[in-house]
Amino acid sequence: MRPNSAEALPTSAPRSTRQKRAVAQLLGELDVFRSAQDLYAELRRRGERVGLTTVYNQLRTMSESGEVDVIRTEDGESLYRLCGSGHHHHVVCRSCGLTIEVEGPELESLAARLASKYHFSEVTHTFEIAGLCSTCACV
Amino acid sequence: MRPNSAEALPTSAPRSTRQKRAVAQLLGELDVFRSAQDLYAELRRRGERVGLTTVYNQLRTMSESGEVDVIRTEDGESLYRLCGSGHHHHVVCRSCGLTIEVEGPELESLAARLASKYHFSEVTHTFEIAGLCSTCACV
DNA sequence: ATTCTTGCAAACTATTTGCAGAACA
DNA sequence: TGTTCTGCAAATAGTTTGCAAGAAT
């Protein structure tokens, strides 16, 4: 919102570090939603020297800049995934995390219609579909 | 799922207690989503002698039986509200919690269409609209 | 009398924060 | 060199659990 919020004002550009690159690259390889803890574990498994705090920092930064999408599981865990730009929704496999980005014009208009019907302003909406993908359903 | 799961198998009917009644009654008076902590505080304010654990227990029981709806805020808090029966979605005021239950046939068919398009089975979907109600927007 | 319920205290879990030392530009 | 970044350890916060005492049937 404000160009210079009181919080963190960085006086210069973000720096490129080994850790940031590792997180970004891992996200680039995956097309599924994963938790911060999962991503951290995977990085360690690969021998990357990264701290959990840094993974969280990086994911927050990337989600704020719109580079990654965040969804929350039923038990409150946050899952992250590199995302395409623009407004979209997801069809997510509960079992393997496989995710398909979808758009729904009729959904958007429905949301807008309901908002105006009840005189709500500054509306946002969430729409997520969870199920079993064809691969996981066979097991 | 299973008639007798290994977990808690109750051998007789649930009992009516002062605490359960207090929680149920409070929910009956409110038409907004409230956190467990909020509900607990309100009960104490009214002089009810109830423990926080009991409020949580009761809310969990009631949500499992479908008596109350649960939504999660952005920061992971659970909000509860007595709900009408049947499948529905919500238009929720971010500021005061005012909630309107809505149905959306086109939404249901869209969800079904997307599921079959990508060969997903056992699908569920979520759809929530959050905004400012007309009252809160004037402030 | 028996079983369910309560609620304090402690445990849990995902996430955030303080901060001193390390790493970039 | 002067920030930014890192990551350990500790703090947070909502929620759950262990369990002994209390209440309902």
Side-chain angles (χ1 to χ4, degrees):
Chain A
M1 289 286 132
R2 284 158 296 164
N4 272 326
S5 72
E7 295 124 29
L9 69 163
T11 60
S12 67
R15 291 176 181 174
S16 169
T17 67
R18 170 174 51 76
Q19 292 90 333
K20 286 182 183 178
R21 271 175 260 125
V23 172
Q25 194 200 314
L26 177 56
L27 286 171
E29 294 175 23
L30 301 172
D31 62 342
V32 301
F33 275 97
R34 282 288 165 74
S35 71
Q37 311 262 358
D38 270 1
L39 295 167
Y40 168 71
E42 176 61 27
L43 287 168
R44 298 304 289 249
R45 200 174 302 124
R46 297 184 178 192
E48 296 284 350
R49 292 176 294 107
V50 192
L52 180 57
T53 304
T54 301
V55 173
Y56 273 110
N57 281 337
Q58 200 51 21
L59 290 172
R60 182 156 39 76
T61 301
M62 295 179 81
S63 70
E64 282 169 359
S65 74
E67 290 174 86
V68 310
D69 276 335
V70 188
I71 59 178
R72 309 199 55 129
T73 63
E74 242 171 88
D75 50 301
E77 205 177 17
S78 291
L79 304 181
Y80 305 83
R81 178 176 179 271
L82 217 59
C83 74
S85 54
H87 180 70
H88 59 260
H89 300 280
H90 301 108
V91 181
V92 184
C93 177
R94 256 192 301 272
S95 176
C96 71
L98 171 71
T99 301
I100 298 155
E101 293 188 358
V102 299
E103 292 179 44
E106 56 261 79
L107 182 78
E108 308 302 322
S109 73
L110 172 64
R113 211 174 328 128
L114 287 170
S116 77
K117 176 174 179 182
Y118 297 110
H119 308 291
F120 272 59
S121 55
E122 294 181 46
V123 290
T124 61
H125 62 267
T126 62
F127 177 61
E128 300 287 334
I129 296 182
L132 293 179
C133 72
S134 52
T135 303
C136 291
C138 294
V139 185
Chain B
M1 288 285 134
R2 285 157 296 163
N4 274 326
S5 73
E7 296 126 27
L9 69 163
T11 60
S12 65
R15 292 175 181 175
S16 169
T17 67
R18 170 174 51 77
Q19 292 89 335
K20 287 182 183 176
R21 271 175 261 125
V23 172
Q25 194 201 313
L26 176 55
L27 286 171
E29 296 175 22
L30 301 173
D31 62 342
V32 300
F33 274 97
R34 283 288 165 75
S35 71
Q37 313 260 359
D38 270 1
L39 295 167
Y40 168 71
E42 177 61 27
L43 287 169
R44 298 304 289 250
R45 200 174 302 125
R46 297 183 178 194
E48 296 284 350
R49 292 175 293 106
V50 191
L52 179 56
T53 305
T54 301
V55 173
Y56 273 110
N57 281 337
Q58 199 51 21
L59 290 172
R60 182 155 39 75
T61 302
M62 295 179 80
S63 71
E64 282 169 359
S65 74
E67 291 175 86
V68 311
D69 277 334
V70 188
I71 60 177
R72 307 198 57 127
T73 63
E74 242 172 88
D75 50 302
E77 205 177 18
S78 291
L79 304 182
Y80 305 84
R81 178 175 179 271
L82 215 58
C83 75
S85 55
H87 181 70
H88 59 260
H89 300 281
H90 302 107
V91 181
V92 184
C93 176
R94 255 192 302 272
S95 175
C96 71
L98 171 71
T99 301
I100 298 155
E101 293 190 358
V102 299
E103 291 179 44
E106 57 261 77
L107 180 79
E108 308 303 321
S109 73
L110 171 64
R113 210 174 328 129
L114 286 170
S116 77
K117 176 173 179 182
Y118 297 111
H119 308 292
F120 272 59
S121 55
E122 296 181 43
V123 290
T124 60
H125 62 268
T126 62
F127 177 61
E128 301 286 333
I129 297 182
L132 292 180
C133 72
S134 52
T135 303
C136 291
C138 295
V139 184

